[in-house]
Amino acid sequence: APDGPRFRCVASLAAGGSGLLATAAAAQRRRRRRRFSAGHTRRTAAPAPSGAEYQQEDLWDAAPLRYMYPSEQRCRVGTWEGVEQLGSVPKPWRSEAPFQFSQLRSLLTQEEVAKILGYVRQRPDYSTDMDSVDDLPVFEFYPMREGEWLDIQMEGLLEPILEDRILPFVRERYNCPDAAVGEILVRRYLPGERRTHATHFDQRALFTAVLGLCDPDDYEGGLFLQPGAHASTRRFPRIDVGDLLVHSFDLQHGVHLYSGVRYSL
């Protein structure tokens, strides 16, 4: 999200890319841009890791590899109590701690998700502007931009969930008490439209949260995490209806839909 007086806090939570994003201060964003530029340069030249599950020629045809969470714990946030799955993937180009991320199981009820999905499916005005990542039509719309709600119905559906569950979790887990919602983005992946979203970092964000709207049994692929330079490091976490996956800005990720229909928020 762009700079502005509403983002004077340490971080502002927004939704963009493929989920909810937390906007960093301007100086942090400048540092990240330099880091990302260097990272993209390295990525194109990096060799495949040894022991890769994929052969080079089969990368785009092989079945997606599922990410398996190594641990989980009980979690309570707001009025919700349930299971938090704890994920971790290595940072291949650094010796520091690995990427860590969380998935909250059934943070939203089936009824809450059904109302959201029913609304976004019937929206007629998905934008077809060119995407900043891959220059393909975006097929997306913004219920919120720069901290301002643009869609009254989505505000009614999402604001109680954001205030009671999502924001309290992000503020506590990432020790960021000033996090605030800045943008919310809905994107669709339909046959004949967009099927992928190229590997990228969320350069305008501190945190990204992705809400499961569609049953993962109804499509193959979806959101992937790619910690390494080579596509063989891709792993696809299973995000069930109502699950929320939260990760930091520097975890490389994207979307690849092999079949089916997916809506993301």
Side-chain angles (χ1 to χ4, degrees):
D3 298 331
R6 62 180 56 87
F7 300 130
R8 289 176 181 167
C9 57
V10 174
S12 300
L13 193 67
S18 49
L20 302 173
L21 308 179
T23 308
Q28 293 172 307
R29 289 200 300 273
R30 287 194 294 271
R31 288 195 294 271
R32 288 202 297 274
R33 289 191 189 104
R34 290 194 293 270
R35 185 185 309 159
F36 296 149
S37 297
H40 282 301
T41 301
R42 290 194 299 271
R43 183 177 63 189
T44 58
S50 60
E53 289 83 350
Y54 295 122
Q55 296 297 319
Q56 179 71 34
E57 62 271 16
D58 297 331
L59 278 173
W60 308 114
D61 297 323
L65 295 176
R66 182 70 66 195
Y67 178 81
M68 304 301 293
Y69 284 92
S71 63
E72 61 183 40
Q73 65 184 16
R74 297 296 297 178
C75 177
R76 184 171 185 174
V77 55
T79 59
W80 176 85
E81 183 174 358
V83 174
E84 177 188 1
Q85 294 178 307
L86 305 172
S88 177
V89 292
K91 293 183 177 180
W93 59 91
R94 295 186 182 178
S95 59
E96 60 192 64
F99 296 110
Q100 295 181 329
F101 52 95
S102 296
Q103 186 165 324
L104 304 181
R105 300 299 308 278
S106 300
L107 183 70
L108 274 67
T109 66
Q110 297 285 316
E111 292 76 17
E112 288 172 326
V113 175
K115 291 178 181 178
I116 297 169
L117 182 58
Y119 178 71
V120 302
R121 276 177 168 166
Q122 59 85 33
R123 285 275 305 215
D125 54 346
Y126 280 76
S127 171
T128 55
D129 292 342
M130 296 299 102
D131 186 77
S132 60
V133 173
D134 55 19
D135 290 327
L136 296 174
V138 291
F139 295 103
E140 67 185 21
F141 77 92
Y142 283 85
M144 176 191 284
R145 297 202 82 161
E146 301 182 37
E148 300 292 337
W149 285 102
L150 306 177
D151 189 303
I152 295 176
Q153 187 159 343
M154 286 291 278
E155 178 181 5
L157 293 170
L158 293 176
E159 190 165 44
I161 298 166
L162 290 167
E163 295 297 330
D164 180 64
R165 284 167 262 176
I166 298 177
L167 274 172
F169 174 79
V170 170
R171 288 166 177 166
E172 179 179 346
R173 179 63 69 245
Y174 292 96
N175 191 26
C176 187
D178 293 325
V181 179
E183 292 183 352
I184 298 176
L185 170 64
V186 177
R187 176 169 276 163
R188 73 184 186 196
Y189 298 85
L190 303 181
E193 293 185 356
R194 174 175 286 275
R195 305 305 282 163
T196 65
H197 196 204
T199 308
H200 63 282
F201 300 94
D202 292 327
Q203 299 188 28
R204 301 181 300 166
L206 284 178
F207 320 112
T208 297
V210 181
L211 175 63
L213 295 179
C214 297
D215 187 336
D217 290 333
D218 292 339
Y219 61 86
E220 185 179 21
L223 174 74
F224 64 79
L225 309 176
Q226 184 177 316
H230 197 268
S232 62
T233 65
R234 289 181 180 180
R235 296 295 182 272
F236 292 75
R238 179 184 173 92
I239 306 177
D240 284 308
V241 174
D243 287 3
L244 187 80
L245 188 148
V246 184
H247 66 81
S248 58
F249 72 91
D250 54 350
L251 177 53
Q252 189 172 232
H253 60 283
V255 173
H256 189 114
L257 218 65
Y258 294 79
S259 64
V261 172
R262 178 177 181 264
Y263 287 80
S264 70
L265 187 153

